[in-house]
Structures are given as C-alpha cells and as structure tokens.
Amino acid sequence: MKMPASFIAGDRGPWRIARVVAVRGEPLDPARALTVVEDGAAAAGGAAWVLRGVRSHDRYTTRAEKDQLTMSSPPLGRPGMHAALIPIRKSAAWWQLAQDERRAVIERSRHFPIGLEALPAVARRLYHSRDLGEDFDFLTWFEFAPDDAPVFDRLLLALRATEEWRYVDREVELRLVPASDGA
Amino acid sequence: MKMPASFIAGDRGPWRIARVVAVRGEPLDPARALTVVEDGAAAAGGAAWVLRGVRSHDRYTTRAEKDQLTMSSPPLGRPGMHAALIPIRKSAAWWQLAQDERRAVIERSRHFPIGLEALPAVARRLYHSRDLGEDFDFLTWFEFAPDDAPVFDRLLLALRATEEWRYVDREVELRLVPASDGA
C-alpha cells in the first residue's frame, strides 16, 4: 500500500526555509522550517501547511529518456546538500489536452534535455498530488551542493521560459538549508 | 478540490449485486448491494468493503482517439440500464515500463479499437485508484441495456485475451442490476 509523503511547514524541522518566491498564483503561508515525512501518516497539529504527494510511475518519459535520466541522476540524501521544494499546479487547459498533445508540448519545451543539463549536479524527486485532491498537482524536490546553486537556478529559468510553463498557473519556490547550518 | 468517488458494498443500496466473478487474484468479500457516491466523503460504517477512485485525465489516448471515443460514447445514468463494476490491478512489471512501452502494449492489444466496437452500446467511466494507495489501480464502471449484455461480454472477452491483460494481476467482475428490478 502506497502512502503519500507529507511536507509539513512549521516552527521547527530538519530544513530551514531560507527563501520563498511565489512564482505564480497564490503564495503559501510563511513558515520557518520544513519536515519531510516519506511513506507515513504524519501528525501535523499546528502546522502552517501540509502538502501531500505520492511517488508514482513516470507519465511521459520514454524508455530511452528514463534510462538516460536514471543513469545520470545522483542519489538523494547526500550530506551537506541544500534543497528546494517547488509545488506546481497546471491549468485546466493542460489537463484537457490528450496524452499526445501533452507529450508534444513537453517535447517542444525540451523539458527532458533541459533537465539533463542539470545532471549530475541536481538530485530530483517528483511527487504526484493531483489525484489526491491537493491544491497543487505536483511537488518537485531537489537537492544540490551549495556551489551548484547556479546550475539549479539556470534549470528553473530555462523551464519557466518554455511553452509547457504557460500551463503552470500556480508555482511556489521554497529554498531550504539544513537546520544544522545555523539558525 | 477533487474528491474520490466511493463504491460501497453492503446489505442495501440502489444496485443489487447479481453476480461476482473473481477473474484473477483475490476475490472481494460477498455483499448484496452497492452504493456509488460521487465526489463526496462517504460514511461507510458497517460496509463489507469500500473502493475509492478519482476521475482523472486520460493517460494514453491521443486526441484523435479521445475525440472518436467521446463522440461515440453514450451518457451514463440512462434509465433501465444494467451495470458492472470491474476493479483491476496491474502488476509491478507494468508500472515499471516507461510511457512509450505501456502505450505500445496498449496499441498492440488494440485496446481502443476493441473499446470502440462496444460503442454506442456500453457507457463507461474510469476511476484511478493507484495514487490513493488503494488495493486496486483502476475501477471501471459500465452501463448497458439488458439486451446489450452480449456486446459487453464480448468486450470483456476480447480485452482479457490481449497482451495488455497479461499485466493484470487482480480483477473482480461485479454485475449489477437496479435494486428496483426486484429483490
């Protein structure tokens, strides 16, 4: 049985929320810290907000793309990494497209080649939220060495300039540093 | 906010469960009647079982297929119909395939042409359960006139003979008649 992961914002947690950018649409309530609970029912009393998502199968990548991405991707959980949580919602117009139309937009947007350019610097995990009735459709999680922050910034800029991103109607960017890096 | 639909089995309900076939894998506990609650939090005290799923975007159909299916599909809720609920689970091997590999299996299996052959007799709705952590991946719902039962039976036989169905590792078929047709 698959349990959703929970991203819990509050006063305390292993990740300090260093910066929040409401890229598009409604922001999230401010909070100091974030806790990520994988595969568990998270008690979230007093949380500023909780976002939930499940790790699921890939929806667009071909076998060749999937293998190439997997081969070049670093693992999550390396020590000393900074992180980012970027919840994203796409518009009704996106979800009304057929599979081949969505895939065509993703191809024209060079989504996977752009992603590859950030490898092996940026570790990534995608959580699906749409079928859970959440406010966002996806939660994207990234980890990278502090020195690789410019690689990650270029990735975000490149993706946000694409045709695909015209279908994004809500996006919030949270930049996270280990709480142990000092309050 | 999207709420899952609930399929609640118990002693009473608008649909009488006329027949159950455990096509593959574990059966479901026996029950007399079924209640379908769309888009609502269903109280299910004392239910034999509850299956949940969400209506979601199409995952495989191209625009041409989607338009053809939509054009030929009858509406749900016509009076006097019989119905079927078929929960389905696919194997881990299926979900590890990439999108192009899954699409290729579906194409080789002629899934959409086979479905078209049952139109306009059989009305259909697909619910997604996998990301909800349910025991099944999909709940498929069908409605057809009693006289069209043979068309529906042929549809099931044809699909179950496909390469795609080799990835189905649990399937239960429930045949339903309106409770008002007599207990």
Side-chain angles (χ1 to χ4, degrees), chain A:
Chain A
M1 183 99 101
K2 201 156 37 168
M3 293 288 293
S6 297
F7 297 81
I8 306 165
D11 284 340
R12 274 173 231 291
W15 295 100
R16 180 167 63 83
I17 299 175
R19 190 157 61 89
V20 179
V21 186
V23 180
R24 195 168 298 177
E26 222 186 314
L28 284 166
D29 286 341
R32 286 169 185 276
L34 186 80
T35 303
V36 183
V37 181
E38 289 274 358
D39 294 338
W49 43 260
V50 180
L51 303 176
R52 297 182 319 131
V54 286
R55 295 166 62 183
S56 192
H57 60 286
D58 295 326
R59 310 289 163 94
Y60 299 102
T61 41
T62 63
R63 170 55 58 189
E65 288 162 347
K66 191 174 158 127
D67 288 347
Q68 201 180 2
L69 287 163
T70 304
M71 200 174 54
S72 312
S73 291
L76 291 164
R78 290 170 296 166
M81 294 292 114
H82 285 188
L85 172 66
I86 307 189
I88 284 174
R89 188 180 67 202
K90 282 177 168 170
S91 65
W94 172 260
W95 296 111
Q96 281 155 15
L97 295 178
Q99 176 71 20
D100 59 336
E101 294 170 322
R102 280 182 271 112
R103 168 76 201 186
V105 172
I106 287 171
E107 273 182 30
R108 286 195 299 268
S109 299
R110 301 187 63 253
H111 186 133
F112 301 123
I114 288 170
L116 273 173
E117 286 163 22
L119 297 181
V122 179
R124 171 183 173 279
R125 181 170 283 168
L126 177 64
Y127 300 83
H128 293 261
S129 303
R130 180 172 160 78
D131 283 356
L132 305 185
E134 292 278 304
D135 289 338
F136 291 95
D137 293 333
F138 308 101
L139 308 176
T140 54
W141 176 264
F142 305 90
E143 293 176 7
F144 46 86
D147 284 351
D148 282 328
V151 177
F152 181 63
D153 291 335
R154 276 197 299 274
L155 171 69
L156 298 185
L157 281 173
L159 285 173
R160 287 175 186 154
T162 60
E163 177 187 353
E164 184 187 348
W165 244 252
R166 289 186 221 151
Y167 293 95
V168 171
D169 68 7
R170 190 175 178 199
E171 178 176 3
V172 181
E173 175 187 332
L174 295 107
R175 303 293 278 253
L176 308 161
V177 298
S180 54
D181 279 10

Side-chain angles (χ1 to χ4, degrees), chain B residues 8-11 42-50:
Chain B
I8 305 165
D11 285 339
W49 42 260
V50 180

Side-chain angles (χ1 to χ4, degrees), chain B residues 4-37:
Chain B
S6 298
F7 297 79
I8 305 165
D11 285 339
R12 274 171 230 293
W15 295 100
R16 179 167 62 82
I17 299 175
R19 190 157 63 89
V20 180
V21 186
V23 180
R24 194 168 300 179
E26 223 187 314
L28 285 166
D29 286 340
R32 286 168 184 275
L34 186 80
T35 304
V36 184
V37 181

Side-chain angles (χ1 to χ4, degrees), chain B residues 20-67:
Chain B
V20 180
V21 186
V23 180
R24 194 168 300 179
E26 223 187 314
L28 285 166
D29 286 340
R32 286 168 184 275
L34 186 80
T35 304
V36 184
V37 181
E38 290 274 357
D39 293 338
W49 42 260
V50 180
L51 302 176
R52 297 181 321 130
V54 286
R55 296 166 61 183
S56 191
H57 61 287
D58 296 325
R59 309 288 163 94
Y60 299 101
T61 41
T62 63
R63 170 55 58 190
E65 289 162 346
K66 190 174 158 127
D67 288 348

